[in-house]
Amino acid sequence: MKRSYAWEACLAGCIFLLAAVLRLGWPTLTEFKFSEARLEALALEWTREGCLPLIGVPSSAGFDHSPLSVYLYIPAFLFTTNPIPATLYGGLISLLGVVLTGWFAKRWPGGGTQATLWTALLFAVSPWAVAFSRKIWQVVFIPPLVLACVGCVIGALIQKRPWAMACACLTYGLLVQIHPSAIALAPAWVLWLLVFRRQVKATTVLMGMGLAVLSALPFLFYQFQAGWPALRALQALPPPTWDLSALLLFWDVVTGRNIHALAGADLSFLTFIPQLEPVFNLVGWLVAASSLWLLVRLSRWWGSLDITRQRTARVDAVLLSWLLAPILFNLRHSLDLHLHFFVLVVPAAYLVVGRAVQDLVGRAQSWRQSRGVTGGAWGRVLSAGSYLILVLLAIGQVAALVIMAQFVALHDTPGGFGTPLGRYLGITRRALDLAAEANASELLVVGEGDSPVVHETAAIFDVLLRGRTVYRFVDGPTAVVFPMKRAAILLTPQAGAAVRWYAQSVPLYSLEPKETYRLALLDGSCPDELFQTVAGPRLFQNGIEVQGYQVERGTASDDQVTVWLLWQVLWLDERETHFSVRLLDDRGQLIGQQDAVGYPHASRRKGDRTINKFDINIPKDRGEGRSYWLQVIQYQYPAMVDLPLIDASGSPIASALLLGPIDLKP
C-alpha cells in the first residue's frame, strides 16, 4: 500500500513538473501583441500612476472588457515594468488550474488515482491550454476560476455545504467579468438550480450575487457614465446564425488540433505537426466516448440507494452539463466565435475522461475478481496499460508543442504567433543602447499608428520603453518627424514610407540580422531640399508653418495624387488642429480633399519638422491645358473653426494657403 502510494505521488510530481516546464520555461518565447501590451499598460496605470482602470482591454464584440483581469495582474507589476514576471505569473495561474483539476478528480465522488493521473496529464500537455497560458492574457484565469466555481457548486448541491453556493455565485460573477464567453455556462447553472432546488438556499445565492455585483462596480460605473457602450455594441451585432463552428472550435481546443495555426503565413513549412492529427483526434474521441460512458452510468445510478453511487451520478451530471452547455449555447451566435471562447470547457473534458477511465478500470478489476481471479497482477497490468496509452498521447502532444516552439522562435509568423517577446526585448535594449551612445534626447518609434491605446506597435513599445527613456510614436505610412534636437529613430517593419525619407537624410543601422528593425540617428536636419519651397505667407495662427510640398503623380490610370507636405512647429498652441489639403481646379472648384491630424497635438514639440502624406482623388479626365491648385487649411478640432494665416506682426492676412499650380499629367 505504501509502495503504491509512493508510486502515485511520484507520477503526480512528474506531471506537475512537466506542466510547470511547459508553462514557465523559456518565458521570453511568448506572444506579445496589442492585447498583452494593453493589459500591461492598464496595470501599470495603477501601480505607477495610482490611476484605477475602469475598463479592460478591447473585446472582439466592440466594447471594452471588465477591468477585473487588470486588477488580478497587479501583483505582477508592483515592482517592475518588465513583462517577463507577468508571463510567469500567468503560467503559475495556469499551473494552479492543473493542480485543481487533479485534486478534484481525486476527491469528488467517483474519482480516484486513475482519474487524477489521466485528468492532470491531459491538462498538463494540452497544446492550446499551454499556448494560452504562456502570455499576459485574461484567459489564463478562466480554468482555475471555472474549476473553483464548479467545485463550489458540487460542494453546495451534492456534498451538503450550503455556504459554498455563495462562493459559487461569486466566482461565476468573476468568471463572466474575466471573459464574457462564460455567459455560455448560464444554461448549465439554470439546470443545476432546477435539478438540485431542494439543496439551494436563496440567502446564499443572493449573497453570492451581491458580492459579484460589488466586484463589478468599477466597470458598471464606467458603463453608466459612458452611456452603456457594451449594450450598444451588443445591439449593433448582426442577426444570429446557426452553424457547427462551436463544435469544431471545441474539438480543436480540447484536442490540440490545428496548433500549427500559430505558424500563421508560414503554415506550409510545417509538415510534421499535421501528421499528429490522429493523436489529437484520439483525445477528442476519448472525450466523446467518456461522455457517453458517464451518461450511461448517470442514468443507472441516479436513483440508486447507495449514497456513493448517487453522489457519483450527480457529479457526472454537473460535469456533463458543464461540458455541453457552452457548445450548445454557441451553436446559435451573432459574434464570430474564437478558440479561446471554449477554454471554459477544457477542464471539464479532461475530468470526464479521467472519471470514465477510473470507472472502466474499476469495473474490469471487479469483473476479474468475480470470475475468481485473485492477486494484484491483473490490476497492475491493467493500470500499466492505461498509463501507457496516456503517456503515448502525452508524448504526441508534447512533441507538437516542442516543434511549434522551435518554429516560432526561428521564423517570422505573421498572422499567427507573431514576434516573440524576447525579440522585442532585445530590439528595445539595442535601440536604447545606441540612443544612449549617441546622446539622443529622445527615441521616436516609427510604425503603423501612433496611439498606444489603439495601435499595436505603439502599444508594445509603450510598455517596453516606459520609465527608461523619453519616447514618442510616429505613424510611418503617413508621417515623418524630424525633431529639432538630436534624436534616435527606431524604424519597425511597419514604418512604411517613412523609411524612404529617413534614408534620404541619414544612414540606417540594422538592429538585427533580419534587418527588419533599423535605427536612424538625427541631428536636427531635414531633407527640405527635396521639396518645393513655399514663398509665403505660410504661417498659421497656431504656430504651424508650411515650408514645402511635393506632388507625386502616378500613371494615367491612377485616380489619386499624393501630396507630401513639410511643416514646422514654431511655437506650441493649446488648440488641437487638423490639416485639410484640397485640390482645386483653375475655376476654384473643389476636386478632392483629404483631412488628417498631421501629427497628434499632444505629441508635437517646438521645432519639430513633419512630413505628411495626403492622398487625394483626381478626375479621370484631367484635361490638357487645365491647371490645378492645392489649398491648405488649418482648422480647430472638434470646433471645426478655420485658423488664419498671419503676418510677422501676428495679424490675420488670409484664410488658407494656396500652392501651385499643380500639373496632374502622369
Side-chain angles (χ1 to χ4, degrees):
M1 185 70 177
K2 290 183 179 180
R3 181 180 299 177
S4 175
Y5 178 79
W7 175 245
E8 293 168 7
C10 180
L11 289 177
C14 291
I15 293 173
F16 178 83
L17 288 176
L18 178 60
V21 169
L22 293 176
R23 286 159 174 79
L24 303 175
W26 307 276
T28 58
L29 188 59
T30 180
E31 289 185 63
F32 200 69
K33 299 176 183 174
F34 175 79
S35 293
E36 293 83 359
R38 189 66 193 139
L39 184 55
E40 177 178 348
L42 290 169
L44 291 175
E45 284 184 11
W46 194 355
T47 60
R48 295 295 179 273
E49 302 169 19
C51 179
L52 178 69
L54 300 181
I55 55 174
V57 297
S59 72
S60 57
F63 60 87
D64 294 309
H65 283 294
S66 157
L68 181 60
S69 57
V70 178
Y71 304 159
L72 293 177
Y73 263 109
I74 291 298
F77 295 107
L78 286 175
F79 307 106
T80 182
T81 61
N82 193 310
I84 291 179
T87 303
L88 295 173
Y89 175 77
L92 289 172
I93 296 296
S94 177
L95 191 60
L96 174 62
V98 175
V99 172
L100 282 176
T101 305
W103 189 70
F104 284 139
K106 179 77 172 180
R107 292 185 60 86
W108 282 339
T113 301
Q114 290 279 347
T116 298
L117 297 178
W118 271 80
T119 300
L121 187 55
L122 285 176
F123 198 4
V125 302
S126 174
W128 283 114
V130 171
F132 290 155
S133 71
R134 293 182 55 86
K135 55 182 178 176
I136 304 170
W137 201 17
Q138 67 264 38
V139 172
V140 302
F141 297 104
I142 291 179
L145 271 178
V146 73
L147 283 162
C149 175
V150 176
C152 290
V153 167
I154 290 174
L157 304 181
I158 299 173
Q159 296 176 320
K160 313 294 185 181
R161 298 168 185 162
W163 57 267
M165 181 52 69
C167 296
C169 294
L170 172 60
T171 52
Y172 183 61
L174 298 177
L175 193 60
V176 172
Q177 291 181 67
I178 289 294
H179 201 279
S181 61
I183 294 173
L185 199 59
W189 263 92
V190 173
L191 180 65
W192 300 336
L193 294 176
L194 287 175
V195 172
F196 301 103
R197 56 188 176 276
R198 293 182 180 178
Q199 285 75 39
V200 176
K201 292 187 177 181
T203 53
T204 57
V205 173
L206 293 175
M207 182 185 301
M209 292 174 62
L211 292 173
V213 171
L214 285 176
S215 70
L217 281 180
F219 185 60
L220 294 174
F221 175 76
Y222 165 78
Q223 290 291 322
F224 174 77
Q225 193 178 45
W228 303 99
L231 293 181
R232 294 200 304 269
L234 293 175
Q235 291 170 353
L237 291 176
T241 58
W242 290 87
D243 59 37
L244 296 178
S245 299
L247 184 60
L248 296 175
L249 290 171
F250 159 78
W251 191 272
D252 285 351
V253 78
V254 167
T255 64
R257 193 181 64 167
N258 287 328
I259 189 67
H260 54 287
L262 292 175
D266 289 335
L267 181 63
S268 59
F269 291 101
L270 280 173
T271 57
F272 178 71
I273 291 182
Q275 295 176 15
L276 291 173
E277 187 160 332
V279 175
F280 300 140
N281 287 333
L282 180 56
V283 175
W285 290 118
L286 278 173
V287 173
S290 299
S291 300
L292 290 175
W293 184 276
L294 294 192
L295 187 61
V296 172
R297 183 172 73 175
L298 164 64
S299 64
R300 292 181 177 178
W301 287 8
W302 185 264
S304 174
L305 297 177
D306 185 307
I307 190 65
T308 300
R309 288 189 171 187
Q310 188 182 99
R311 289 188 172 182
T312 298
R314 280 152 175 73
V315 172
D316 291 343
V318 170
L319 292 181
L320 289 173
S321 55
W322 170 15
L323 179 66
L324 297 175
I327 302 173
L328 299 176
F329 182 88
N330 284 298
L331 290 177
R332 184 175 183 265
H333 58 93
S334 296
L335 281 172
D336 289 335
L337 299 180
H338 299 279
L339 200 64
H340 61 272
F341 287 13
F342 297 91
V343 173
L344 187 73
V345 299
V346 169
Y350 302 144
L351 281 164
V352 165
V353 172
R355 290 172 65 82
V357 171
Q358 179 75 42
D359 187 50
L360 180 62
V361 171
R363 287 175 183 270
Q365 290 177 343
S366 298
W367 180 82
R368 293 291 296 179
Q369 290 174 2
S370 68
R371 295 282 178 161
V373 178
T374 59
W378 166 252
R380 288 192 294 272
V381 170
L382 194 60
S383 295
S386 167
Y387 295 150
L388 179 61
I389 296 172
L390 179 59
V391 168
L392 291 176
L393 286 174
I395 289 174
Q397 297 203 321
V398 170
L401 283 169
V402 171
I403 294 170
M404 202 61 244
Q406 290 178 333
F407 187 87
V408 300
L410 299 175
H411 298 80
D412 289 325
T413 53
F417 188 89
T419 302
L421 173 60
R423 186 177 168 200
Y424 279 127
L425 292 173
I427 291 166
T428 303
R429 183 176 60 253
R430 288 190 287 274
L432 289 172
D433 290 344
L434 288 174
E437 291 175 6
N439 293 318
S441 62
E442 63 176 332
L443 177 65
L444 298 189
V445 180
V446 184
E448 186 174 6
D450 49 33
S451 172
V453 179
V454 179
H455 304 116
E456 182 170 291
T457 300
I460 290 170
F461 285 98
D462 176 51
V463 296
L464 297 182
L465 293 170
R466 189 172 298 197
R468 304 173 71 180
T469 189
V470 178
Y471 60 93
R472 289 187 281 167
F473 299 104
V474 180
D475 180 30
T478 64
V480 191
V481 177
F482 292 85
M484 182 173 63
K485 298 180 180 180
R486 190 170 180 81
I489 312 293
L490 175 60
L491 298 166
T492 71
Q494 298 80 31
V499 176
R500 170 171 67 103
W501 291 104
Y502 286 123
Q504 290 176 336
S505 303
V506 292
L508 304 183
Y509 304 95
S510 177
L511 293 179
E512 56 178 3
K514 296 181 180 181
E515 296 189 355
T516 51
Y517 285 86
R518 286 167 285 184
L519 191 76
L521 297 173
L522 301 177
D523 56 3
S525 62
C526 174
D528 49 9
E529 69 278 1
L530 301 176
F531 293 84
Q532 289 183 257
T533 302
V534 178
R538 59 186 191 179
L539 178 62
F540 285 95
Q541 193 180 49
N542 62 339
I544 298 296
E545 182 181 62
V546 180
Q547 299 177 343
Y549 68 98
Q550 184 185 110
V551 178
E552 293 180 355
R553 296 171 294 276
T555 63
S557 60
D558 289 342
D559 57 357
Q560 274 190 342
V561 61
T562 298
V563 177
W564 294 96
L565 206 63
L566 171 63
W567 54 277
Q568 186 172 19
V569 180
L570 298 189
W571 66 80
L572 295 175
D573 189 274
E574 63 181 11
R575 292 169 292 185
E576 182 171 345
T577 57
H578 287 194
F579 280 94
S580 179
V581 178
R582 303 173 182 181
L583 181 66
L584 308 178
D585 64 12
D586 49 9
R587 291 169 293 183
Q589 293 184 341
L590 179 66
I591 303 301
Q593 76 177 68
Q594 184 184 13
D595 289 23
V597 66
Y599 189 57
H601 178 268
S603 299
R604 296 175 187 173
R605 301 291 182 267
K606 182 179 178 180
D608 280 351
R609 280 185 285 185
T610 303
I611 301 171
N612 275 128
K613 179 184 179 183
F614 296 87
D615 290 321
I616 302 175
N617 293 329
I618 57 177
K620 294 184 181 296
D621 180 15
R622 303 174 189 180
E624 294 187 11
R626 294 178 62 183
S627 59
Y628 295 87
W629 300 78
L630 291 173
Q631 186 185 60
V632 180
I633 294 175
Q634 274 275 297
Y635 61 90
Q636 191 174 345
Y637 184 86
M640 308 299 290
V641 177
D642 291 353
L643 300 181
L645 289 165
I646 60 175
D647 59 18
S649 65
S651 301
I653 54 174
S655 60
L657 177 63
L658 200 62
L659 306 176
I662 305 298
D663 184 8
L664 296 185
K665 293 180 181 179

